[in-house]
Amino acid sequence: MAPISVVLKRSLVLSLLLMGAQSIHAQSAADEIAKYREMIADGNPSELYEMSGEELWKKPAGPKNASLEKCDLGLGPGIVDGAAAVLPKYFKDTNRVQDLESRLMTCMEKLQGVPSESIIDAKFGVGPKKDMDAIVAYVVTHSKGKKINVSTTHPKEKQMYEMGKRAFFYEGGPFDFSCASCHGSSGKRIRLQDLPNLTTHDGAVAGWGYWPAYRVSSGQFWTMQQRLNDCFRQQRFPYPIYGSDVTIALSMYMAKNANGGIIQTPGLKR
Amino acid sequence: MKTSTMTLIKFYHLLFLGCGAIAMVTNVSAQQRPDSQFQKMMNSSFRTEGIANIDRIDQDPTQKFCSDPQFASSKAGAARALEIQKQNMASIKPPSDGKYIGDWKSGEAIAQSGRGATWTDTASTPIGGGCYNCHEIDKKEISYGNIGPSLWNYGKTRGNSQELIVYTWNRINNSKAYNACSNMPRFAHFKLLNEKQIQDLMALLLDPASPVNQ
Amino acid sequence: MNQQRRSLLKYSAVFGLMASAGLISVAQAEEWNKAAFEGKSLDDVFKSLGTSSPDKSAAVTLNAPDIAENGAVVPVGISSTLKAEQMAILVEKNPSTLAAQFFLPAGTEAFVTTRIKMGQTSNVYALVKADGKWSMALKEIKVTLGGCGG
Amino acid sequence: MSDPMRVRATEKDGIVDVKILMKHDMESGQRKDASGKVIPAWFINMLNVKANGKDVFNAQFGSAVSKDPFLNFKYKGAKGDKLVVNWIDTKGDKRTDEATVS
């Protein structure tokens, strides 16, 4: 092992030497990326989704031909303003902790008679999920500027947070990745994309507070469910079921860590 | 605070050992106990899709150990880490043809690609090394990540001793042989890259003609 | 290609109807400049716009980032101190060089911003026509690979 | 049927700042679907904006304008101006939306 430690010592000195030059290089690229983001921030196509979401919210639909206007997202039936800021949350009627998407599925099932399976199993970006995207865009826009304020006082909420934390560090798959592989320390990037450290308050605000978002690379509005789905895909995990407990637990972990931060959704992402 | 200390150690574990700068404050002495509620949640939350089989959430000892960062960074954890590293080291095979250095041009293409092994891929989708996702390599590529250290001028500054060659080979084959909870995938262990591909990556880092060493 | 041609033909017919029904003003009904949009090189497009080679001018500003985080959406703006009547955005290395052109009646500012797709790193040109003469500004925009690449 | 546009127009010092977002896939004809078949080109290629019935802006797009197109321009105008925005795409689909300058 001796030669190796020599090599490593040398590489430490080297990386210290290189650090100066490197950070300048990375800095100018980061500045330009910041300029790019600023330029596209004005005119976020999420607004288009939000507009059709508002229509879908108010329009009678489903076997029961009812609108979603009486949906209780946690602040009482029909209250949309600020609702996304308190989710995920424990709901007495379902005896579960629910995030926005799973709660909307409950409303669609109860009020409109739309079976949840028809949404869970649908493809992203089309059909019932496309409508779900729009409704989510509408709801989260009404929490823009509000403070993230999730509760962990109910035992089920507390348990969800703890399981989310554990899931965050859970390594698996052929790449040995966990959420923490990319989002467990500060100042890291993949390619040129900054990775928020979701274990810290600021990082969690930057992550949780900016999703759902319009994603420039796919030209689609992505809900948090879809964001998590693609994280697991890149992690080389099996497929997380839409609205499943692991997705809600991770949301709870991020949201709680982000408590007090300002919601910027819908965001605009690469 | 604890977490960031932990991850730093994850990344620079050996560097720290080399400098004698390791400082651990923790009272955790045993690994996280299995939690049936948690396992139930994991098992019911995922399903097989394409090549991404549900059994991918089953953990091997390395993954289990690294999923508990609090224990991994404890004193008892440090001893366990050495065992894990030993196990991983034992799985590494030297090149069957004795050749360590391949073609840097193919190596660059492998380093660029982050594809493969997801449920949107097929079993025949070539798996990339995804190296630029985390490392600076050829300076001409400005879009690189920083989860791993810069590899620019890797061979030029480190030389080409047999020790370095073997170390580099081992590190690409199975990074966990040196750092139990390295963030780098075990490319040979999980058959993500074959021998030829690893030789090509070796060339990218060590061949004096590679753009990395200009 | 045939498909595209057919839909273009169909489009022309519909457009003709719209123009005659007064839905789109006659002034605008100067046709979609098919030749210019099918141009495969800077020279092709310059020719279709009725110029040989526009002069570089400090009076034309191309507002765009040096690096685009994603080639699918690259913000590009043109502004000018000239009394612009027409503007165009060209991407040298795109399959079709001309990305967009704009017609500005009197009273409209010499300013426009839009978003374009770029297949790869390329020079991007901002062209401005004022008093019948074309001027331009250009810059290279680097298109980077983003994300995990999976 | 095409989705509505988002048109925002605000006046300051006699200049009206107009921002338009359109919902359109803007298929370039360069992309392939999952089975490897080329997705035919289909994009908005003409746009007209009138203020109080008078042309203030005309655009012609090629296949390289991004999905969900965005436009920002400025003209000399006043609060209360009635804006009418029209687009038409290469299949002849069209859309008209209105806005009032605030």
Side-chain angles (χ1 to χ4, degrees), chain A residues 10 22 166 170-171 173 176 187 189 191 233 236 239 241 246, chain B residues 33 45 47 56-57 59 63 67 112 116 120 136 144 146 150 186:
Chain A
R10 211 187 296 160
Q22 232 181 21
R166 197 159 173 157
Y170 190 91
E171 271 191 18
D176 295 331
R189 305 195 314 257
R191 291 283 185 168
R233 190 181 67 84
R236 274 73 183 177
Y239 195 95
I241 294 161
V246 78
Chain B
R33 270 187 296 279
S45 291
R47 63 168 170 82
R56 287 186 178 191
I57 57 168
Q59 296 178 311
Q63 292 170 338
S67 297
Q112 285 283 359
T120 48
E136 180 183 37
Y144 61 87
N146 65 358
S150 172
R186 291 172 281 177

PDB file of all heavy atoms in Angstrom, chain A residues 10 22 166 170-171 173 176 187 189 191 233 236 239 241 246, chain B residues 33 45 47 56-57 59 63 67 112 116 120 136 144 146 150 186:
ATOM      1  N   ARG A  10       0.702  12.961  -3.396  1.00  0.00           N
ATOM      2  CA  ARG A  10       1.073  13.789  -4.527  1.00  0.00           C
ATOM      3  C   ARG A  10      -0.193  14.380  -5.160  1.00  0.00           C
ATOM      4  O   ARG A  10      -0.232  15.530  -5.532  1.00  0.00           O
ATOM      5  CB  ARG A  10       1.842  12.943  -5.530  1.00  0.00           C
ATOM      6  CG  ARG A  10       2.858  13.761  -6.301  1.00  0.00           C
ATOM      7  CD  ARG A  10       3.476  12.933  -7.411  1.00  0.00           C
ATOM      8  NE  ARG A  10       4.237  11.807  -6.905  1.00  0.00           N
ATOM      9  CZ  ARG A  10       4.528  10.747  -7.656  1.00  0.00           C
ATOM     10  NH1 ARG A  10       4.112  10.672  -8.913  1.00  0.00           N
ATOM     11  NH2 ARG A  10       5.214   9.757  -7.160  1.00  0.00           N
ATOM     12  N   GLN A  22      -8.573  26.187 -11.759  1.00  0.00           N
ATOM     13  CA  GLN A  22      -9.829  25.545 -12.070  1.00  0.00           C
ATOM     14  C   GLN A  22     -11.029  26.377 -11.669  1.00  0.00           C
ATOM     15  O   GLN A  22     -11.968  26.504 -12.417  1.00  0.00           O
ATOM     16  CB  GLN A  22      -9.889  24.274 -11.254  1.00  0.00           C
ATOM     17  CG  GLN A  22     -10.187  23.088 -12.051  1.00  0.00           C
ATOM     18  CD  GLN A  22     -10.227  21.924 -11.095  1.00  0.00           C
ATOM     19  OE1 GLN A  22     -10.404  22.059  -9.901  1.00  0.00           O
ATOM     20  NE2 GLN A  22     -10.060  20.772 -11.623  1.00  0.00           N
ATOM     21  N   ARG A 166     -34.164   8.071   5.674  1.00  0.00           N
ATOM     22  CA  ARG A 166     -33.502   6.791   5.463  1.00  0.00           C
ATOM     23  C   ARG A 166     -33.455   6.448   3.967  1.00  0.00           C
ATOM     24  O   ARG A 166     -32.451   5.959   3.462  1.00  0.00           O
ATOM     25  CB  ARG A 166     -34.265   5.702   6.226  1.00  0.00           C
ATOM     26  CG  ARG A 166     -33.464   4.460   6.416  1.00  0.00           C
ATOM     27  CD  ARG A 166     -34.022   3.644   7.574  1.00  0.00           C
ATOM     28  NE  ARG A 166     -33.341   2.363   7.632  1.00  0.00           N
ATOM     29  CZ  ARG A 166     -33.255   1.608   8.719  1.00  0.00           C
ATOM     30  NH1 ARG A 166     -33.825   1.998   9.835  1.00  0.00           N
ATOM     31  NH2 ARG A 166     -32.613   0.460   8.696  1.00  0.00           N
ATOM     32  N   TYR A 170     -30.347   5.655   1.029  1.00  0.00           N
ATOM     33  CA  TYR A 170     -30.422   4.233   0.665  1.00  0.00           C
ATOM     34  C   TYR A 170     -29.732   3.969  -0.674  1.00  0.00           C
ATOM     35  O   TYR A 170     -30.196   4.400  -1.724  1.00  0.00           O
ATOM     36  CB  TYR A 170     -31.889   3.796   0.590  1.00  0.00           C
ATOM     37  CG  TYR A 170     -32.110   2.301   0.465  1.00  0.00           C
ATOM     38  CD1 TYR A 170     -32.270   1.506   1.591  1.00  0.00           C
ATOM     39  CD2 TYR A 170     -32.162   1.695  -0.788  1.00  0.00           C
ATOM     40  CE1 TYR A 170     -32.486   0.137   1.479  1.00  0.00           C
ATOM     41  CE2 TYR A 170     -32.370   0.320  -0.909  1.00  0.00           C
ATOM     42  CZ  TYR A 170     -32.529  -0.447   0.229  1.00  0.00           C
ATOM     43  OH  TYR A 170     -32.741  -1.802   0.120  1.00  0.00           O
ATOM     44  N   GLU A 171     -28.604   3.252  -0.616  1.00  0.00           N
ATOM     45  CA  GLU A 171     -27.854   2.921  -1.839  1.00  0.00           C
ATOM     46  C   GLU A 171     -28.362   1.631  -2.448  1.00  0.00           C
ATOM     47  O   GLU A 171     -28.679   0.682  -1.735  1.00  0.00           O
ATOM     48  CB  GLU A 171     -26.372   2.723  -1.503  1.00  0.00           C
ATOM     49  CG  GLU A 171     -25.574   3.980  -1.568  1.00  0.00           C
ATOM     50  CD  GLU A 171     -24.074   3.718  -1.493  1.00  0.00           C
ATOM     51  OE1 GLU A 171     -23.633   2.571  -1.724  1.00  0.00           O
ATOM     52  OE2 GLU A 171     -23.348   4.683  -1.194  1.00  0.00           O
ATOM     53  N   GLY A 173     -28.870  -0.595  -6.625  1.00  0.00           N
ATOM     54  CA  GLY A 173     -28.717  -0.628  -8.077  1.00  0.00           C
ATOM     55  C   GLY A 173     -27.284  -0.832  -8.517  1.00  0.00           C
ATOM     56  O   GLY A 173     -26.358  -0.804  -7.709  1.00  0.00           O
ATOM     57  N   ASP A 176     -24.592   1.796  -7.433  1.00  0.00           N
ATOM     58  CA  ASP A 176     -24.420   2.079  -5.992  1.00  0.00           C
ATOM     59  C   ASP A 176     -24.905   3.470  -5.605  1.00  0.00           C
ATOM     60  O   ASP A 176     -24.392   4.065  -4.646  1.00  0.00           O
ATOM     61  CB  ASP A 176     -22.937   2.008  -5.563  1.00  0.00           C
ATOM     62  CG  ASP A 176     -22.329   0.624  -5.680  1.00  0.00           C
ATOM     63  OD1 ASP A 176     -23.077  -0.355  -5.556  1.00  0.00           O
ATOM     64  OD2 ASP A 176     -21.101   0.547  -5.881  1.00  0.00           O
ATOM     65  N   GLY A 187     -21.871  22.484  -2.973  1.00  0.00           N
ATOM     66  CA  GLY A 187     -20.915  22.973  -3.966  1.00  0.00           C
ATOM     67  C   GLY A 187     -20.624  21.988  -5.076  1.00  0.00           C
ATOM     68  O   GLY A 187     -19.628  22.123  -5.780  1.00  0.00           O
ATOM     69  N   ARG A 189     -21.458  19.697  -8.623  1.00  0.00           N
ATOM     70  CA  ARG A 189     -22.148  19.786  -9.907  1.00  0.00           C
ATOM     71  C   ARG A 189     -22.080  18.443 -10.621  1.00  0.00           C
ATOM     72  O   ARG A 189     -21.124  17.693 -10.448  1.00  0.00           O
ATOM     73  CB  ARG A 189     -21.450  20.763 -10.871  1.00  0.00           C
ATOM     74  CG  ARG A 189     -21.202  22.157 -10.421  1.00  0.00           C
ATOM     75  CD  ARG A 189     -20.850  23.020 -11.642  1.00  0.00           C
ATOM     76  NE  ARG A 189     -19.870  22.393 -12.519  1.00  0.00           N
ATOM     77  CZ  ARG A 189     -18.586  22.728 -12.567  1.00  0.00           C
ATOM     78  NH1 ARG A 189     -18.118  23.674 -11.782  1.00  0.00           N
ATOM     79  NH2 ARG A 189     -17.776  22.114 -13.406  1.00  0.00           N
ATOM     80  N   ARG A 191     -21.877  17.625 -14.610  1.00  0.00           N
ATOM     81  CA  ARG A 191     -21.633  18.483 -15.782  1.00  0.00           C
ATOM     82  C   ARG A 191     -21.662  19.935 -15.281  1.00  0.00           C
ATOM     83  O   ARG A 191     -20.934  20.241 -14.350  1.00  0.00           O
ATOM     84  CB  ARG A 191     -22.666  18.215 -16.887  1.00  0.00           C
ATOM     85  CG  ARG A 191     -22.511  16.840 -17.547  1.00  0.00           C
ATOM     86  CD  ARG A 191     -21.364  16.808 -18.529  1.00  0.00           C
ATOM     87  NE  ARG A 191     -21.288  15.540 -19.257  1.00  0.00           N
ATOM     88  CZ  ARG A 191     -20.520  15.345 -20.327  1.00  0.00           C
ATOM     89  NH1 ARG A 191     -19.739  16.300 -20.774  1.00  0.00           N
ATOM     90  NH2 ARG A 191     -20.488  14.182 -20.927  1.00  0.00           N
ATOM     91  N   ARG A 233     -34.588   7.005 -12.077  1.00  0.00           N
ATOM     92  CA  ARG A 233     -34.150   6.427 -13.354  1.00  0.00           C
ATOM     93  C   ARG A 233     -32.631   6.605 -13.494  1.00  0.00           C
ATOM     94  O   ARG A 233     -31.908   5.660 -13.792  1.00  0.00           O
ATOM     95  CB  ARG A 233     -34.882   7.101 -14.527  1.00  0.00           C
ATOM     96  CG  ARG A 233     -34.686   6.417 -15.867  1.00  0.00           C
ATOM     97  CD  ARG A 233     -35.418   7.138 -16.991  1.00  0.00           C
ATOM     98  NE  ARG A 233     -34.843   8.448 -17.258  1.00  0.00           N
ATOM     99  CZ  ARG A 233     -33.791   8.655 -18.043  1.00  0.00           C
ATOM    100  NH1 ARG A 233     -33.222   7.650 -18.673  1.00  0.00           N
ATOM    101  NH2 ARG A 233     -33.301   9.872 -18.211  1.00  0.00           N
ATOM    102  N   ARG A 236     -30.475   4.485 -11.581  1.00  0.00           N
ATOM    103  CA  ARG A 236     -30.533   3.084 -12.035  1.00  0.00           C
ATOM    104  C   ARG A 236     -31.314   2.219 -11.049  1.00  0.00           C
ATOM    105  O   ARG A 236     -31.025   1.041 -10.868  1.00  0.00           O
ATOM    106  CB  ARG A 236     -29.129   2.521 -12.271  1.00  0.00           C
ATOM    107  CG  ARG A 236     -28.578   2.797 -13.655  1.00  0.00           C
ATOM    108  CD  ARG A 236     -28.169   4.229 -13.861  1.00  0.00           C
ATOM    109  NE  ARG A 236     -27.709   4.462 -15.241  1.00  0.00           N
ATOM    110  CZ  ARG A 236     -27.344   5.649 -15.717  1.00  0.00           C
ATOM    111  NH1 ARG A 236     -27.388   6.721 -14.968  1.00  0.00           N
ATOM    112  NH2 ARG A 236     -26.946   5.767 -16.961  1.00  0.00           N
ATOM    113  N   TYR A 239     -38.515   1.200 -10.966  1.00  0.00           N
ATOM    114  CA  TYR A 239     -39.449   2.287 -11.231  1.00  0.00           C
ATOM    115  C   TYR A 239     -40.263   2.646  -9.982  1.00  0.00           C
ATOM    116  O   TYR A 239     -40.981   1.804  -9.438  1.00  0.00           O
ATOM    117  CB  TYR A 239     -40.392   1.828 -12.346  1.00  0.00           C
ATOM    118  CG  TYR A 239     -41.188   2.914 -13.004  1.00  0.00           C
ATOM    119  CD1 TYR A 239     -40.735   3.518 -14.173  1.00  0.00           C
ATOM    120  CD2 TYR A 239     -42.412   3.318 -12.488  1.00  0.00           C
ATOM    121  CE1 TYR A 239     -41.460   4.502 -14.808  1.00  0.00           C
ATOM    122  CE2 TYR A 239     -43.157   4.311 -13.111  1.00  0.00           C
ATOM    123  CZ  TYR A 239     -42.671   4.903 -14.270  1.00  0.00           C
ATOM    124  OH  TYR A 239     -43.401   5.878 -14.893  1.00  0.00           O
ATOM    125  N   ILE A 241     -43.337   3.855  -8.092  1.00  0.00           N
ATOM    126  CA  ILE A 241     -44.759   3.948  -8.435  1.00  0.00           C
ATOM    127  C   ILE A 241     -45.266   5.352  -8.111  1.00  0.00           C
ATOM    128  O   ILE A 241     -44.938   5.913  -7.055  1.00  0.00           O
ATOM    129  CB  ILE A 241     -45.545   2.849  -7.679  1.00  0.00           C
ATOM    130  CG1 ILE A 241     -45.102   1.481  -8.209  1.00  0.00           C
ATOM    131  CG2 ILE A 241     -47.052   3.039  -7.834  1.00  0.00           C
ATOM    132  CD1 ILE A 241     -45.434   0.322  -7.292  1.00  0.00           C
ATOM    133  N   VAL A 246     -42.588   5.949  -0.909  1.00  0.00           N
ATOM    134  CA  VAL A 246     -41.192   6.400  -0.930  1.00  0.00           C
ATOM    135  C   VAL A 246     -41.104   7.803  -1.530  1.00  0.00           C
ATOM    136  O   VAL A 246     -40.314   8.643  -1.080  1.00  0.00           O
ATOM    137  CB  VAL A 246     -40.251   5.401  -1.654  1.00  0.00           C
ATOM    138  CG1 VAL A 246     -40.358   5.495  -3.174  1.00  0.00           C
ATOM    139  CG2 VAL A 246     -38.808   5.641  -1.231  1.00  0.00           C
TER     140      VAL A 246
ATOM    141  N   ARG B  33     -30.330  -0.594  12.489  1.00  0.00           N
ATOM    142  CA  ARG B  33     -31.045  -1.873  12.499  1.00  0.00           C
ATOM    143  C   ARG B  33     -32.041  -1.919  11.352  1.00  0.00           C
ATOM    144  O   ARG B  33     -32.573  -0.894  10.950  1.00  0.00           O
ATOM    145  CB  ARG B  33     -31.771  -2.052  13.832  1.00  0.00           C
ATOM    146  CG  ARG B  33     -30.919  -2.741  14.888  1.00  0.00           C
ATOM    147  CD  ARG B  33     -31.730  -3.059  16.120  1.00  0.00           C
ATOM    148  NE  ARG B  33     -32.213  -1.856  16.791  1.00  0.00           N
ATOM    149  CZ  ARG B  33     -31.470  -1.127  17.614  1.00  0.00           C
ATOM    150  NH1 ARG B  33     -30.214  -1.471  17.862  1.00  0.00           N
ATOM    151  NH2 ARG B  33     -31.960  -0.061  18.206  1.00  0.00           N
ATOM    152  N   SER B  45     -43.092   0.375  -2.957  1.00  0.00           N
ATOM    153  CA  SER B  45     -43.041   1.642  -3.695  1.00  0.00           C
ATOM    154  C   SER B  45     -42.417   1.527  -5.081  1.00  0.00           C
ATOM    155  O   SER B  45     -42.526   2.443  -5.884  1.00  0.00           O
ATOM    156  CB  SER B  45     -42.263   2.692  -2.890  1.00  0.00           C
ATOM    157  OG  SER B  45     -42.980   3.082  -1.748  1.00  0.00           O
ATOM    158  N   ARG B  47     -41.438  -0.906  -8.687  1.00  0.00           N
ATOM    159  CA  ARG B  47     -41.805  -2.054  -9.498  1.00  0.00           C
ATOM    160  C   ARG B  47     -40.783  -2.201 -10.628  1.00  0.00           C
ATOM    161  O   ARG B  47     -40.042  -1.266 -10.945  1.00  0.00           O
ATOM    162  CB  ARG B  47     -43.213  -1.903 -10.070  1.00  0.00           C
ATOM    163  CG  ARG B  47     -43.386  -0.724 -11.026  1.00  0.00           C
ATOM    164  CD  ARG B  47     -44.711  -0.811 -11.789  1.00  0.00           C
ATOM    165  NE  ARG B  47     -45.004   0.414 -12.524  1.00  0.00           N
ATOM    166  CZ  ARG B  47     -44.500   0.697 -13.722  1.00  0.00           C
ATOM    167  NH1 ARG B  47     -43.663  -0.129 -14.318  1.00  0.00           N
ATOM    168  NH2 ARG B  47     -44.824   1.832 -14.337  1.00  0.00           N
ATOM    169  N   ARG B  56     -33.180  -4.648  -7.897  1.00  0.00           N
ATOM    170  CA  ARG B  56     -32.128  -3.643  -7.774  1.00  0.00           C
ATOM    171  C   ARG B  56     -32.171  -2.921  -6.424  1.00  0.00           C
ATOM    172  O   ARG B  56     -31.219  -2.228  -6.073  1.00  0.00           O
ATOM    173  CB  ARG B  56     -32.238  -2.608  -8.900  1.00  0.00           C
ATOM    174  CG  ARG B  56     -31.805  -3.136 -10.264  1.00  0.00           C
ATOM    175  CD  ARG B  56     -31.796  -2.004 -11.279  1.00  0.00           C
ATOM    176  NE  ARG B  56     -31.346  -2.470 -12.595  1.00  0.00           N
ATOM    177  CZ  ARG B  56     -31.039  -1.660 -13.593  1.00  0.00           C
ATOM    178  NH1 ARG B  56     -31.137  -0.354 -13.427  1.00  0.00           N
ATOM    179  NH2 ARG B  56     -30.645  -2.136 -14.754  1.00  0.00           N
ATOM    180  N   ILE B  57     -33.282  -3.033  -5.710  1.00  0.00           N
ATOM    181  CA  ILE B  57     -33.287  -2.396  -4.380  1.00  0.00           C
ATOM    182  C   ILE B  57     -32.715  -3.325  -3.308  1.00  0.00           C
ATOM    183  O   ILE B  57     -32.530  -2.914  -2.172  1.00  0.00           O
ATOM    184  CB  ILE B  57     -34.681  -1.863  -3.944  1.00  0.00           C
ATOM    185  CG1 ILE B  57     -35.733  -2.960  -3.960  1.00  0.00           C
ATOM    186  CG2 ILE B  57     -35.106  -0.672  -4.781  1.00  0.00           C
ATOM    187  CD1 ILE B  57     -37.026  -2.536  -3.259  1.00  0.00           C
ATOM    188  N   GLN B  59     -29.819  -4.894  -1.368  1.00  0.00           N
ATOM    189  CA  GLN B  59     -28.475  -4.346  -1.170  1.00  0.00           C
ATOM    190  C   GLN B  59     -27.427  -5.416  -0.915  1.00  0.00           C
ATOM    191  O   GLN B  59     -27.695  -6.402  -0.237  1.00  0.00           O
ATOM    192  CB  GLN B  59     -28.493  -3.386   0.026  1.00  0.00           C
ATOM    193  CG  GLN B  59     -29.375  -2.170  -0.186  1.00  0.00           C
ATOM    194  CD  GLN B  59     -29.397  -1.281   1.036  1.00  0.00           C
ATOM    195  OE1 GLN B  59     -29.597  -1.749   2.148  1.00  0.00           O
ATOM    196  NE2 GLN B  59     -29.182   0.009   0.834  1.00  0.00           N
ATOM    197  N   GLN B  63     -23.312  -1.709  -0.132  1.00  0.00           N
ATOM    198  CA  GLN B  63     -24.415  -0.741  -0.221  1.00  0.00           C
ATOM    199  C   GLN B  63     -25.110  -0.560   1.124  1.00  0.00           C
ATOM    200  O   GLN B  63     -25.462   0.549   1.518  1.00  0.00           O
ATOM    201  CB  GLN B  63     -25.420  -1.207  -1.286  1.00  0.00           C
ATOM    202  CG  GLN B  63     -24.842  -1.146  -2.697  1.00  0.00           C
ATOM    203  CD  GLN B  63     -25.725  -1.829  -3.730  1.00  0.00           C
ATOM    204  OE1 GLN B  63     -26.552  -2.679  -3.392  1.00  0.00           O
ATOM    205  NE2 GLN B  63     -25.542  -1.481  -4.994  1.00  0.00           N
ATOM    206  N   SER B  67     -25.245   2.985   3.284  1.00  0.00           N
ATOM    207  CA  SER B  67     -26.554   3.626   3.434  1.00  0.00           C
ATOM    208  C   SER B  67     -26.762   4.167   4.840  1.00  0.00           C
ATOM    209  O   SER B  67     -27.785   4.766   5.136  1.00  0.00           O
ATOM    210  CB  SER B  67     -27.670   2.622   3.114  1.00  0.00           C
ATOM    211  OG  SER B  67     -27.577   2.223   1.769  1.00  0.00           O
ATOM    212  N   GLN B 112     -17.435  10.383 -22.099  1.00  0.00           N
ATOM    213  CA  GLN B 112     -18.497  11.358 -22.398  1.00  0.00           C
ATOM    214  C   GLN B 112     -19.894  10.792 -22.149  1.00  0.00           C
ATOM    215  O   GLN B 112     -20.790  11.512 -21.733  1.00  0.00           O
ATOM    216  CB  GLN B 112     -18.411  11.799 -23.876  1.00  0.00           C
ATOM    217  CG  GLN B 112     -17.285  12.764 -24.193  1.00  0.00           C
ATOM    218  CD  GLN B 112     -17.588  14.196 -23.751  1.00  0.00           C
ATOM    219  OE1 GLN B 112     -18.659  14.485 -23.225  1.00  0.00           O
ATOM    220  NE2 GLN B 112     -16.616  15.080 -23.936  1.00  0.00           N
ATOM    221  N   GLY B 116     -27.123   4.250 -20.463  1.00  0.00           N
ATOM    222  CA  GLY B 116     -27.157   2.829 -20.144  1.00  0.00           C
ATOM    223  C   GLY B 116     -27.687   2.464 -18.775  1.00  0.00           C
ATOM    224  O   GLY B 116     -27.617   3.240 -17.818  1.00  0.00           O
ATOM    225  N   THR B 120     -35.189   3.074 -19.389  1.00  0.00           N
ATOM    226  CA  THR B 120     -35.460   3.486 -20.763  1.00  0.00           C
ATOM    227  C   THR B 120     -34.401   2.920 -21.713  1.00  0.00           C
ATOM    228  O   THR B 120     -34.470   3.130 -22.915  1.00  0.00           O
ATOM    229  CB  THR B 120     -35.514   5.023 -20.904  1.00  0.00           C
ATOM    230  OG1 THR B 120     -34.382   5.583 -20.245  1.00  0.00           O
ATOM    231  CG2 THR B 120     -36.777   5.588 -20.287  1.00  0.00           C
ATOM    232  N   GLU B 136     -13.483  16.620 -14.179  1.00  0.00           N
ATOM    233  CA  GLU B 136     -12.846  17.315 -15.290  1.00  0.00           C
ATOM    234  C   GLU B 136     -11.814  16.353 -15.861  1.00  0.00           C
ATOM    235  O   GLU B 136     -11.052  15.743 -15.107  1.00  0.00           O
ATOM    236  CB  GLU B 136     -12.157  18.597 -14.807  1.00  0.00           C
ATOM    237  CG  GLU B 136     -11.495  19.342 -15.949  1.00  0.00           C
ATOM    238  CD  GLU B 136     -10.740  20.594 -15.492  1.00  0.00           C
ATOM    239  OE1 GLU B 136     -10.128  20.561 -14.402  1.00  0.00           O
ATOM    240  OE2 GLU B 136     -10.750  21.577 -16.216  1.00  0.00           O
ATOM    241  N   TYR B 144     -18.277  19.800 -17.284  1.00  0.00           N
ATOM    242  CA  TYR B 144     -17.848  18.670 -16.457  1.00  0.00           C
ATOM    243  C   TYR B 144     -18.307  18.884 -15.027  1.00  0.00           C
ATOM    244  O   TYR B 144     -18.522  20.021 -14.597  1.00  0.00           O
ATOM    245  CB  TYR B 144     -16.319  18.516 -16.495  1.00  0.00           C
ATOM    246  CG  TYR B 144     -15.582  19.723 -15.963  1.00  0.00           C
ATOM    247  CD1 TYR B 144     -15.310  19.845 -14.599  1.00  0.00           C
ATOM    248  CD2 TYR B 144     -15.183  20.752 -16.803  1.00  0.00           C
ATOM    249  CE1 TYR B 144     -14.663  20.960 -14.097  1.00  0.00           C
ATOM    250  CE2 TYR B 144     -14.538  21.883 -16.311  1.00  0.00           C
ATOM    251  CZ  TYR B 144     -14.279  21.980 -14.964  1.00  0.00           C
ATOM    252  OH  TYR B 144     -13.648  23.089 -14.454  1.00  0.00           O
ATOM    253  N   ASN B 146     -18.020  18.063 -10.666  1.00  0.00           N
ATOM    254  CA  ASN B 146     -16.942  18.161  -9.675  1.00  0.00           C
ATOM    255  C   ASN B 146     -17.182  17.283  -8.446  1.00  0.00           C
ATOM    256  O   ASN B 146     -16.643  17.547  -7.380  1.00  0.00           O
ATOM    257  CB  ASN B 146     -16.734  19.617  -9.263  1.00  0.00           C
ATOM    258  CG  ASN B 146     -17.946  20.184  -8.537  1.00  0.00           C
ATOM    259  OD1 ASN B 146     -18.947  19.498  -8.377  1.00  0.00           O
ATOM    260  ND2 ASN B 146     -17.850  21.419  -8.104  1.00  0.00           N
ATOM    261  N   SER B 150     -10.464  16.547 -10.275  1.00  0.00           N
ATOM    262  CA  SER B 150     -10.073  16.786 -11.665  1.00  0.00           C
ATOM    263  C   SER B 150      -9.042  15.740 -12.091  1.00  0.00           C
ATOM    264  O   SER B 150      -8.156  15.370 -11.328  1.00  0.00           O
ATOM    265  CB  SER B 150      -9.462  18.177 -11.807  1.00  0.00           C
ATOM    266  OG  SER B 150      -8.928  18.314 -13.109  1.00  0.00           O
ATOM    267  N   ARG B 186     -18.884   0.818  -9.250  1.00  0.00           N
ATOM    268  CA  ARG B 186     -17.913  -0.284  -9.389  1.00  0.00           C
ATOM    269  C   ARG B 186     -18.053  -0.856 -10.799  1.00  0.00           C
ATOM    270  O   ARG B 186     -18.864  -1.756 -11.035  1.00  0.00           O
ATOM    271  CB  ARG B 186     -18.173  -1.336  -8.307  1.00  0.00           C
ATOM    272  CG  ARG B 186     -17.828  -0.830  -6.909  1.00  0.00           C
ATOM    273  CD  ARG B 186     -18.275  -1.793  -5.830  1.00  0.00           C
ATOM    274  NE  ARG B 186     -19.709  -1.706  -5.546  1.00  0.00           N
ATOM    275  CZ  ARG B 186     -20.345  -2.492  -4.677  1.00  0.00           C
ATOM    276  NH1 ARG B 186     -19.686  -3.426  -4.031  1.00  0.00           N
ATOM    277  NH2 ARG B 186     -21.637  -2.349  -4.475  1.00  0.00           N
TER     278      ARG B 186
END
